[in-house]
Amino acid sequence: AQTVTQSQPEMSVQEAETVTLSCTYDTSESDYYLFWYKQPPSRQMILVIRQEAYKQQNATENRFSVNFQKAAKSFSLKISDSQLGDAAMYFCAYRSGIQGAQKLVFGQGTRLTINP
Amino acid sequence: KAGVTQTPRYLIKTRGQQVTLSCSPISGHRSVSWYQQTPGQGLQFLFEYFSETQRNKGNFPGRFSGRQFSNSRSEMNVSTLELGDSALYLCASSLTTGGDGSPLHFGNGTRLTVT
């Protein structure tokens, strides 16, 4: 079974600085997808960024980028120019590439605080 | 386009009762998944429906059930409620059943409290 581990329960950063959230995963599959979701106090899980395992290029979405190390099974999220609105719980998630495998496996989450 | 809508937002029930939660997916999405979120266990997959058929099921007792209607709306039912069922229940919809990495879009969740 696949597992996802986020080793940082809490992180804090000064506004406008850069922060990196860590995520490691375990799988024997070669085809899969990785996601970072953000959950603010409104409770809605919002997709931040998505990475296909077969792509070597790291995904980027505006201020958010990932460092995907497939051999090390590592998938960290970098947030540049942190803003107050970035404060939330961040979840790393894994999904198999097998057709019909819709299930997401989540890490335990990292609570990110932005200090003004 | 409207997002995933879950109703109600809050529920308070007593042990032994049953509860039904509702989820309306994004228009055009045919896959609906349910997740349970608790402080202790985190986010756990309950089940997934596609075209009115349950495609996958997580490791939950039979008290947890669901269904999907022809318009893709889904309901989740929990019978004989236990204190441990208190949780945030999240619904997510997707265009496909996976395999292509299409992202899941989540609703705001239903907060269930069992007393």
Side-chain angles (χ1 to χ4, degrees):
Chain A
Q2 296 84 21
T3 58
V4 177
T5 302
Q6 294 177 248
S7 58
Q8 307 153 313
E10 295 184 357
M11 293 278 287
S12 64
V13 65
Q14 291 295 124
E15 192 176 3
E17 295 191 345
T18 296
V19 64
T20 298
L21 309 184
S22 301
C23 171
T24 58
Y25 59 94
D26 189 28
T27 184
S28 58
E29 298 176 334
S30 58
D31 184 20
Y32 52 87
Y33 300 85
L34 296 166
F35 305 85
W36 278 98
Y37 279 89
K38 164 185 174 181
Q39 187 178 39
S42 66
R43 308 180 329 201
Q44 184 177 18
M45 299 282 279
I46 301 165
L47 177 66
V48 175
I49 201 163
R50 168 182 172 272
Q51 175 79 43
E52 297 96 331
Y54 59 84
K55 285 189 177 178
Q56 292 188 346
Q57 186 173 6
N58 290 323
T60 299
E61 287 287 345
N62 300 314
R63 299 182 293 106
F64 299 86
S65 61
V66 299
N67 183 3
F68 174 48
Q69 301 289 329
K70 190 171 184 178
K73 296 180 181 174
S74 169
F75 182 61
S76 61
L77 174 70
K78 186 172 84 170
I79 306 174
S80 304
D81 185 26
S82 299
Q83 300 175 1
L84 294 178
D86 295 333
M89 282 290 289
Y90 285 81
F91 292 93
C92 178
Y94 170 102
R95 189 208 279 173
S96 168
I98 297 173
Q99 180 62 34
Q102 184 71 297
K103 165 186 161 182
L104 280 173
V105 178
F106 286 92
Q108 287 296 100
T110 297
R111 182 174 302 280
L112 178 64
T113 302
I114 312 295
N115 300 313
Chain B
K1 188 184 265 191
V4 177
T5 304
Q6 290 188 246
T7 56
R9 289 213 70 189
Y10 300 92
L11 264 178
I12 300 175
K13 290 287 187 179
T14 304
R15 270 182 302 175
Q17 289 185 317
Q18 75 164 19
V19 67
T20 299
L21 313 182
S22 180
C23 173
S24 293
I26 291 172
S27 178
H29 286 194
R30 294 166 63 193
S31 172
V32 174
S33 305
W34 290 88
Y35 290 80
Q36 182 196 63
Q37 185 176 20
T38 61
Q41 298 298 317
L43 283 146
Q44 294 186 288
F45 171 76
L46 279 156
F47 28 64
E48 184 225 343
Y49 288 86
F50 183 82
S51 294
E52 303 178 64
T53 302
Q54 187 179 91
R55 302 293 291 262
N56 293 290
K57 190 176 193 304
N59 189 25
F60 279 81
R63 301 185 296 106
F64 291 81
S65 63
R67 59 177 175 168
Q68 186 180 34
F69 302 95
S70 58
N71 61 358
S72 294
R73 190 177 70 84
S74 177
E75 286 182 349
M76 189 192 111
N77 186 275
V78 188
S79 63
T80 318
L81 283 166
E82 300 178 359
L83 294 178
D85 298 333
S86 295
L88 179 66
Y89 290 88
L90 291 165
C91 169
S93 75
S94 176
L95 273 171
T96 68
T97 60
D100 61 355
S102 56
L104 271 62
H105 300 269
F106 286 83
N108 283 353
T110 293
R111 170 78 65 190
L112 172 65
T113 301
V114 182
T115 62

